[in-house]
Amino acid sequence: MQEVPTKVTLVDVARMAGVGIGTASRALSNAKGVAATTRARVLEVAAEHHYVVSPEASRLAKGNTGRVALVVPHLSRWFFGSVVEGLDSVLHHANLDVLLYQVGDQQDRHDFFEQLPARRKVDAVVVVGFQLEDPERKRLESMGVQIVAAGGQSAAYPYIHIDDYAASRQAMDHLLYLGHTRIAMLEAVDPDQPHLVSRRSPAYYEALTEHGIQIDPALVLSGPWGGEQGATMMSRLLSIPKPPTAVFAHFDEVAAGAMRTLRRAGLQPGRNISLIGIDDHPIAELTDLTTIRQKPFEQGVEAARMLLKLLRGEQVENQAVAMPTELVIRGSTAPPTTRESR
Amino acid sequence: MQEVPTKVTLVDVARMAGVGIGTASRALSNAKGVAATTRARVLEVAAEHHYVVSPEASRLAKGNTGRVALVVPHLSRWFFGSVVEGLDSVLHHANLDVLLYQVGDQQDRHDFFEQLPARRKVDAVVVVGFQLEDPERKRLESMGVQIVAAGGQSAAYPYIHIDDYAASRQAMDHLLYLGHTRIAMLEAVDPDQPHLVSRRSPAYYEALTEHGIQIDPALVLSGPWGGEQGATMMSRLLSIPKPPTAVFAHFDEVAAGAMRTLRRAGLQPGRNISLIGIDDHPIAELTDLTTIRQKPFEQGVEAARMLLKLLRGEQVENQAVAMPTELVIRGSTAPPTTRESR
DNA sequence: AACACTTTCGGAAGCGTTTCCATACGAGTA
DNA sequence: TACTCGTATGGAAACGCTTCCGAAAGTGTT
């Protein structure tokens, strides 16, 4: 039924150009040892007949795949999508094909590394936003596959990330500078890797301690990642005897949830209570949320560049590249109002 | 430098299992004509030695690629990311590999179809969220590549979508039911395909007309897609002599921008003015926005299923599948307050 | 007991490249 | 003029699999 497009093979091209098959191949692949005129003739014939090399055959003969796998936990989230966009853009310009593997839950992830669907399918793997476990990494390495992480970190392979501690300090220092002393923290635990402790929390404790502020355990809440969780945690904060004057959320989306709670309570963020997040997620701009900006797209770009080097066999100087973050002030933060500050 | 992993080929497995190469192949590919015990033995040996077929060789021999290309304009947006998640999940379960092509601007897109990077690389192409132009489509078809669209539409190939007209009517009818008569519309034009007129606008006009309400051109604003644009358009609406009591935005993100403007003006959505969007984007939940829900993940799943059928050579009954949408009531809509209703 | 199937199996051919090797041809060199 | 070398070129071998074909062995029928 399906009309098969006319297939032109290398042999056809060679014959039509009146050269040998070897010469044709060399001409097409830009290898040297071919007379200029010969090459021109081959190229012309090839173009004329819309010849395209068969990737399968080429790779079978060459031994490499020209493909890279992107392993991502969640694609529909801004952060991950942006990183992938960045990766994709530079990888494609390098003439590599990008294979997508979404591994939402532990099960998917386990399957991915167990079945090695990537085996012999890719030259490299980019892990986006999570940490590879040791056996997983070994597995990949034993297959001769390069590994790079974007938006995650590890001691075992190169990665691009932001400095979570520093970013959190930026947030906390801003709140402290504004004069807040009663600051809450909404910790978000990644359900995919619950045991992973973020460097964002230590920043909170140390910032307070350095300012001589007593830590109040009642002001630290944690829950799974997500806006709804932020909303819930905020509700809890509003039901303690002396609610905070400012809230530091680990993620903008959590902060957005908290903001909804505030609004429902008739409170105005930035007026009655200050709120700061991390990410500069688009929602931050649309809800007037002060935040610490990071640029996931750029992280993807950087990771891809690093990968390209690795693939070329070059040595990479920095195994870990930290991308900058910056404070973006919007309407959700302000000095504490007198009534509440004391 | 790079330690080449021990390669186990089919021949090795066959020898180790004490069978012929043909039998080994059949056993591994689950073809019939192999005794159960023989198959078991082969499988065991294969597993033991972590054997995985070489996709290149397999495909070279078979003639198909086992790969599908996903062409997506924006990955970092919720809608597109979700569709891709849906596609990815079912495609992978069908043992197909997913190749990702992000074509942000017209240039990328042109390059993609011009250079045919997909040629002989994929069996099918899924276009996510935009319309293929005629020459592009022909090009693909002439290569014997199947086409399916998710979240876009076309008369020329199968697609999954939502009924934009119906969804918009749901939104408008809700507003009208609540008693609003002065309803504005924030049209969003897709910068990628500016000439494409959405079915969302006609729904607005017809709903009003059917209710005997005079169309007021001052209440219809349009601009490029995005939250910032929504904010700007809302500002404009607040500066006309008699602002609307309700606003219908083509997208939740546009509505979110509008909401920010309202808040900055000291107005409360759902109290002073009603606001409704379309999508049920996560931001809608976090901002208490009433909306018409669509499920992009499901659209991806459905599109992938359809593609699978096509790939199997089966006939597809419905060239166009419309997925349901539903009204989700949140805090941003309410009957008009008396002062404003008249 | 002979015959016709059916099931299982082994191996050769072929998929479309790349690459290595042998050959041919000129151009320098002594 | 004879000899050496480097550059072009053709073609075979190899890449690792699927599939086709014929052989072998088992089953059932008359």
Side-chain angles (χ1 to χ4, degrees), chain A residues 10 33 48 57 68 79 91 110 121 140 145 152 154 166 169-170 200 203 215 245 248 258 262 292-293 310 318:
Chain A
L10 180 64
E48 189 182 334
V68 172
F79 176 81
L91 257 18
H110 182 261
K121 281 190 181 172
L140 249 25
V145 173
S154 159
R169 279 303 297 250
Q170 288 176 301
R200 298 185 185 189
I215 307 289
T245 64
F248 160 51
L262 292 180
I292 306 299
R293 171 179 297 160
L310 251 22
N318 289 320

Side-chain angles (χ1 to χ4, degrees), chain A residues 123-143:
Chain A
D123 300 330
V125 167
V126 182
V127 251
V128 181
F130 67 98
Q131 281 217 23
L132 232 41
E133 279 163 26
D134 236 47
E136 297 172 338
R137 178 179 56 77
K138 294 223 175 92
R139 190 105 189 207
L140 249 25
E141 280 176 357
S142 80
M143 289 158 34

Side-chain angles (χ1 to χ4, degrees), chain A residues 38-206:
Chain A
T38 312
R39 162 161 305 153
R41 186 150 31 92
V42 173
L43 256 28
E44 194 195 346
V45 171
E48 189 182 334
H49 293 262
H50 290 186
Y51 169 77
V52 181
V53 302
S54 152
E56 325 297 340
S58 165
R59 269 131 199 188
L60 175 54
K62 267 210 283 248
N64 76 346
T65 71
R67 269 177 249 127
V68 172
L70 264 36
V71 189
V72 195
H74 315 274
L75 223 37
S76 56
R77 285 202 213 153
W78 169 79
F79 176 81
F80 298 96
S82 301
V83 172
V84 171
E85 268 190 6
L87 285 162
D88 191 277
S89 64
V90 356
L91 257 18
H92 271 150
H93 279 294
N95 265 315
L96 286 168
D97 278 324
V98 173
L99 237 37
L100 190 63
Y101 291 94
Q102 210 235 327
V103 290
D105 51 30
Q106 295 284 348
Q107 184 56 43
D108 280 357
R109 184 170 156 180
H110 182 261
D111 290 354
F112 175 80
F113 292 102
E114 201 48 47
Q115 302 184 19
L116 296 200
R119 171 144 194 207
R120 295 163 154 211
K121 281 190 181 172
V122 297
D123 300 330
V125 167
V126 182
V127 251
V128 181
F130 67 98
Q131 281 217 23
L132 232 41
E133 279 163 26
D134 236 47
E136 297 172 338
R137 178 179 56 77
K138 294 223 175 92
R139 190 105 189 207
L140 249 25
E141 280 176 357
S142 80
M143 289 158 34
V145 173
Q146 296 279 7
I147 309 175
V148 164
Q153 42 190 296
S154 159
Y157 43 84
Y159 62 96
I160 312 286
H161 68 143
I162 59 164
D163 183 334
D164 281 310
Y165 181 87
S168 304
R169 279 303 297 250
Q170 288 176 301
M172 287 299 295
D173 288 345
H174 177 57
L175 256 22
L176 289 162
Y177 170 77
L178 289 177
H180 292 275
T181 54
R182 200 156 168 73
I183 306 176
M185 170 165 73
L186 305 185
E187 279 184 327
V189 183
D190 183 348
D192 299 333
Q193 12 193 20
H195 47 285
L196 195 75
V197 274
S198 165
R199 295 281 300 138
R200 298 185 185 189
S201 298
Y204 168 83
Y205 294 113
E206 290 177 24

Side-chain angles (χ1 to χ4, degrees), chain A residues 2 50 52 75-76 85 92 97-101 119-121 142 144 228 260 263-264 285 288, chain B residues 2 5 50 52 75-76 85 92 97-101 119-121 144 228 260 263-264 285 288:
Chain A
Q2 175 85 0
H50 290 186
V52 181
L75 223 37
S76 56
E85 268 190 6
H92 271 150
D97 278 324
V98 173
L99 237 37
L100 190 63
Y101 291 94
R119 171 144 194 207
R120 295 163 154 211
K121 281 190 181 172
S142 80
E228 285 306 315
R260 190 186 69 192
R263 289 238 157 82
R264 285 188 183 169
E285 183 164 39
D288 257 338
Chain B
Q2 177 84 1
H50 291 186
V52 181
L75 222 37
S76 56
E85 267 189 6
H92 271 150
D97 277 324
V98 173
L99 237 38
L100 189 64
Y101 291 94
R119 171 142 195 209
R120 293 167 155 212
K121 282 190 180 173
E228 285 305 316
R260 189 186 70 191
R263 289 239 157 81
R264 286 188 183 169
E285 184 165 40
D288 257 338

